[in-house]
Amino acid sequence: MLHLLLTGLIYCSVQVAVFAQTGALKRNIEDLIASKDATVGVAIYGLESKDAIYINNNKHFPLQSVFKFHIALAVLSEVDRGRLTLNQKIRIKKSDLLPNTWSPIREKYPQGNVELPLTEVLKYTVAESDNNGCDILLRLIGGTQFVNNYLHKLGIKEVSIQANEAEMHQAWDVQFQNWTTPKSTVDLLKLFQERKILSAKSYDFLWQTMAETVSGKNRIKGQLPAGTVVAHKTGTSGTNDQGITAAINDIGLVTLPNGTHFAISVLVSNSKESTETNEKIIADITKLSWNYFTSGI
């Protein structure tokens, strides 16, 4: 009986200590964002430690290009079901390559009329955030509603994907139809990292593609030690006539020096701050998280 009592006391003391540490991290983050003219959503989760922090999780944040991670998962789920193959050729017509949108595919193949393997379209879409590639993939699998239903079936309920890139470019308000909570993005990253969604081959492909993402060097990766492996996806909106930026986002999986990981989602919305400040918010929060998971401070 005494042994059980001591064991229980030790467990409770450990839990209290962990709560105190995560509480301190949460307060540090809240202090950091308090002075910013922006709404900041944060979710942090230790994949191995299970430590978790959520800030402003009751709000809906526009996804912007973060949803290309969600789309890639849906596409690769179709590969795993045998309905698509990674090496199948995707015909891209000139009419698919819309102007006035970010598109490395269009820059490389301005006339279109090319066939690219699915892997290449996915890499353009995820690692280089190609907007035309995104909509090509959506047409391949049946549109945004297919992705929305796929996510809800996975148990990721606090997310809505209703508009493609072309539609988001038509009017400012459309982007808000694609929203998430911070926790939902981290929950999805967790399912992905725990290999509960995709086959090993599809997981390896997408993880490597996200690790090769070229956008957002001043966001999650901004203050981390050189060489830190980060598999992530950014999202960026424009700024309207009132000086409001709808979204500066980054979500990802950070590999720690000891081989463990934490998932992080920082969604900066409705911001009157500069792009540099918005990105620094993400970098600062990530650095605080890194310090917590590496040294407990």
Side-chain angles (χ1 to χ4, degrees):
M1 181 66 72
L2 180 60
H3 173 73
L4 292 175
L5 179 61
L6 288 172
T7 300
L9 288 172
I10 292 170
Y11 175 78
C12 289
S13 65
V14 170
Q15 291 299 102
V16 169
V18 169
F19 179 78
Q21 289 176 336
T22 55
L25 174 58
K26 185 176 182 182
R27 287 191 298 274
N28 288 339
I29 294 172
E30 289 173 336
D31 289 345
L32 187 155
I33 65 178
S35 63
K36 303 300 187 292
D37 196 351
T39 303
V40 183
V42 181
I44 301 161
Y45 182 81
L47 271 295
E48 290 78 16
S49 69
K50 314 301 182 189
D51 296 356
I53 292 171
Y54 307 108
I55 296 172
N56 282 329
N57 196 56
N58 61 329
K59 301 181 185 300
H60 293 173
F61 293 84
L63 279 158
Q64 277 294 329
S65 287
V66 166
F67 84 150
K68 291 167 184 170
F69 168 59
H70 303 61
I71 292 166
L73 287 173
V75 170
L76 290 169
S77 75
E78 291 296 277
V79 171
D80 290 342
R81 296 177 70 177
R83 296 178 178 179
L84 301 171
T85 63
L86 284 175
N87 60 0
Q88 78 178 72
K89 295 301 175 78
I90 308 299
R91 182 71 179 175
I92 298 177
K93 304 184 297 295
K94 186 173 183 178
S95 59
D96 294 325
L97 301 176
L98 302 182
N100 303 318
T101 193
W102 174 252
S103 181
I105 294 176
R106 186 194 61 237
E107 295 306 304
K108 187 171 182 179
Y109 307 103
Q111 300 306 313
N113 298 317
V114 294
E115 290 188 344
L116 301 180
L118 179 57
T119 51
E120 191 169 345
V121 180
L122 279 164
K123 286 179 180 179
Y124 272 117
T125 300
V126 176
E128 299 190 48
S129 210
D130 192 295
N131 292 334
N132 285 322
C134 172
D135 287 358
I136 290 166
L137 291 175
L138 283 171
R139 286 192 289 273
L140 183 66
I141 59 175
T144 54
Q145 199 57 50
F146 179 90
V147 181
N148 203 61
N149 292 339
Y150 166 76
L151 295 168
H152 289 182
K153 288 176 184 177
L154 290 178
I156 307 299
K157 303 291 188 181
E158 290 298 308
V159 63
S160 178
I161 295 179
Q162 304 297 329
N164 64 23
E165 284 286 356
E167 291 164 340
M168 282 197 288
H169 278 71
Q170 291 174 5
W172 175 263
D173 290 343
V174 176
Q175 65 189 304
F176 298 98
Q177 295 177 20
N178 296 339
W179 59 261
T180 186
T181 61
K183 184 176 185 295
S184 286
T185 51
V186 159
D187 286 346
L188 190 60
L189 286 166
K190 176 176 178 287
L191 287 175
F192 170 65
Q193 179 65 13
E194 292 177 343
R195 296 164 173 77
K196 293 181 178 178
I197 301 177
L198 303 176
S199 68
K201 183 177 181 180
S202 291
Y203 166 84
D204 289 343
F205 169 79
L206 183 53
W207 192 94
Q208 187 60 42
T209 300
M210 292 173 69
E212 294 171 355
T213 290
V214 297
S215 60
K217 60 182 175 58
N218 294 323
R219 300 184 192 182
I220 288 177
K221 299 178 74 171
Q223 297 179 37
L224 297 182
T228 300
V229 178
V230 180
H232 67 123
K233 184 69 200 82
T234 58
T236 307
S237 78
T239 301
N240 68 12
D241 294 339
Q242 288 74 49
I244 296 173
T245 302
I248 296 288
N249 302 331
D250 205 358
I251 72 165
L253 295 156
V254 179
T255 302
L256 295 159
N258 64 0
T260 61
H261 312 82
F262 68 91
I264 184 166
S265 170
V266 186
L267 311 172
V268 182
S269 183
N270 195 35
S271 178
K272 291 186 177 180
E273 305 287 353
S274 67
T275 297
E276 292 75 18
T277 298
N278 291 327
E279 293 191 320
K280 190 173 186 300
I281 290 169
I282 299 173
D284 287 344
I285 291 172
T286 305
K287 186 63 182 343
L288 287 171
S289 305
W290 174 273
N291 291 345
Y292 171 81
F293 285 107
T294 56
S295 58
I297 59 174

